[in-house]
């Protein structure tokens, strides 16, 4: 079985804001587009336009209806690998194909060592592993390692494709092992949580819970509008006719 590093220099990961995610699937599409030609390429599609479509997706978004005291609301829940501190998918691997990097904490798969036994997918409680039936190996989110360390990209673009594509800035990327980092401060400020913490795998990725809704209207310090006077001529006549 595969051993884990005693510690990692960084804990790179994602923070996902469930309050601002609108379920637009932009992160899903951007992830598929980038990684189809990236580190784990290709991401196989099988009969994509048929009745039994299948394929490899590193990121999926699920939508749920949640009832609160204020009524119902839709919560969109993106799901991908959480790059756990103690990932069962790594320790169960018999060949060392699944491994956790000591430099940044990212969990990856070495396709040359993977024998397609699927033990890692059975061990992962988050359903983050994707078996590519076309090539017979397991694949997963890489946090876009070929992007975040790419010196050919502008510094602001060295983030996972899903983060770059999010139109509502619901996805954040950084070092969660550094308490002073912007992403760690965001987690502390918003009360970020682990997914299923009772399992003890200590996910690096965090979720920011939806904010409580309120029925009180926002106070806008704007002066009241003055009544519009009817103009003369044809427009004035139209205005008077529509006002009756």
């Amino acid at each position: 079985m595969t051993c884990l590093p005693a510690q990692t220099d960084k804990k790179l990961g994602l923070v996902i804001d469930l309050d601002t995610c609108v379920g637009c699937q932009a992160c899903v599409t951007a992830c598929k587009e980038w990684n189809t030609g990236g580190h784990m390429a290709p991401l196989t599609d099988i009969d994509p336009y048929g009745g039994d479509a299948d394929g490899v997706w590193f990121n999926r978004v699920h939508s749920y209806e949640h009832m609160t005291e204020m009524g119902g609301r839709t919560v969109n829940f993106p799901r991908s690998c959480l790059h756990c501190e103690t990932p069962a998918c790594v320790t169960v691997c018999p060949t060392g194909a699944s491994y956790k990097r000591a430099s940044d904490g990212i969990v990856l798969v070495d396709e040359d060592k993977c024998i397609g036994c699927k033990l890692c997918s059975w061990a992962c409680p988050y359903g983050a592993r994707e078996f590519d039936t076309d090539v017979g190996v397991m694949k997963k989110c890489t946090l876009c390692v070929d992007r975040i360390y790419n010196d050919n990209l502008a510094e602001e673009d060295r983030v996972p494709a899903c983060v770059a594509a999010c139109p509502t800035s619901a996805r954040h990327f950084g070092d969660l092992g550094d308490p002073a980092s912007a992403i760690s401060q965001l987690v502390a400020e918003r009360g970020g949580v682990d997914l299923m913490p009772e399992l003890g795998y200590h996910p690096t990725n965090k979720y920011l819970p939806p904010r409580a809704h309120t029925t009180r209207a926002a106070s806008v310090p704007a002066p009241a509008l003055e009544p519009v006077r009817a103009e003369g001529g044809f427009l004035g006549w139209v205005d008077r006719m529509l006002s009756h």
Side-chain angles (χ1 to χ4, degrees):
M1 299 302 172
T2 309
C3 296
L4 297 171
Q7 61 181 15
T8 59
D9 298 334
K10 294 182 178 180
K11 294 180 182 179
L12 296 185
L14 300 173
V15 170
I16 300 172
D17 191 343
L18 300 181
D19 189 65
T20 56
C21 176
V22 295
C24 67
Q25 308 285 329
C27 58
V28 176
T29 305
C31 170
K32 182 79 167 183
E33 180 182 20
W34 178 267
N35 286 289
T36 291
H39 179 76
M40 295 293 290
L43 302 193
T44 302
D45 283 318
I46 300 174
D47 193 22
Y49 305 108
D52 193 24
D54 195 8
V56 177
W57 297 82
F58 290 168
N59 184 35
R60 300 173 186 267
V61 177
H62 307 277
S63 296
Y64 303 93
E65 291 300 316
H66 176 58
M67 294 302 297
T68 69
E69 295 180 356
M70 306 305 299
R73 67 178 298 178
T74 300
V75 177
N76 301 295
F77 185 80
R79 176 177 60 84
S80 61
C81 176
L82 302 175
H83 299 277
C84 300
E85 293 185 33
T86 55
C89 61
V90 170
T91 55
V92 78
C93 181
T95 66
S98 290
Y99 64 100
K100 185 175 180 66
R101 304 204 309 188
S103 59
D104 51 23
I106 297 177
V107 177
L108 295 174
V109 175
D110 184 341
E111 293 186 62
D112 291 333
K113 296 180 180 179
C114 181
I115 58 176
C117 66
K118 300 183 181 180
L119 284 176
C120 58
S121 64
W122 296 337
C124 174
Y126 305 111
R129 294 279 172 142
E130 295 276 329
F131 185 71
D132 191 332
T133 58
D134 195 47
V135 294
V137 299
M138 197 63 67
K139 298 184 178 182
K140 61 176 295 298
C141 164
T142 68
L143 280 182
C144 292
V145 290
D146 51 346
R147 184 182 176 103
I148 61 177
Y149 293 115
N150 191 338
D151 293 335
N152 295 317
L153 297 176
E155 186 173 357
E156 60 271 20
D157 293 329
R158 295 176 201 166
V159 295
C162 61
V163 175
C166 183
T168 62
S169 298
R171 303 177 74 90
H172 307 267
F173 171 72
D175 184 5
L176 287 150
D178 178 7
S181 68
I183 195 171
S184 293
Q185 292 178 2
L186 178 62
V187 171
E189 177 186 341
R190 288 282 307 280
V193 297
D194 290 348
L195 181 60
M196 300 180 349
E198 66 277 9
L199 298 180
Y201 295 122
H202 307 291
T204 298
N205 290 5
K206 309 297 180 189
Y207 288 92
L208 304 182
R211 296 181 177 91
H213 283 185
T214 176
T215 56
R216 185 176 62 182
S219 176
V220 180
L225 298 176
E226 297 181 0
V228 179
R229 297 181 180 180
E231 299 180 1
F234 175 73
L235 293 179
W237 176 82
V238 171
D239 182 70
R240 289 192 295 274
M241 292 301 99
L242 295 178
S243 298
H244 293 307

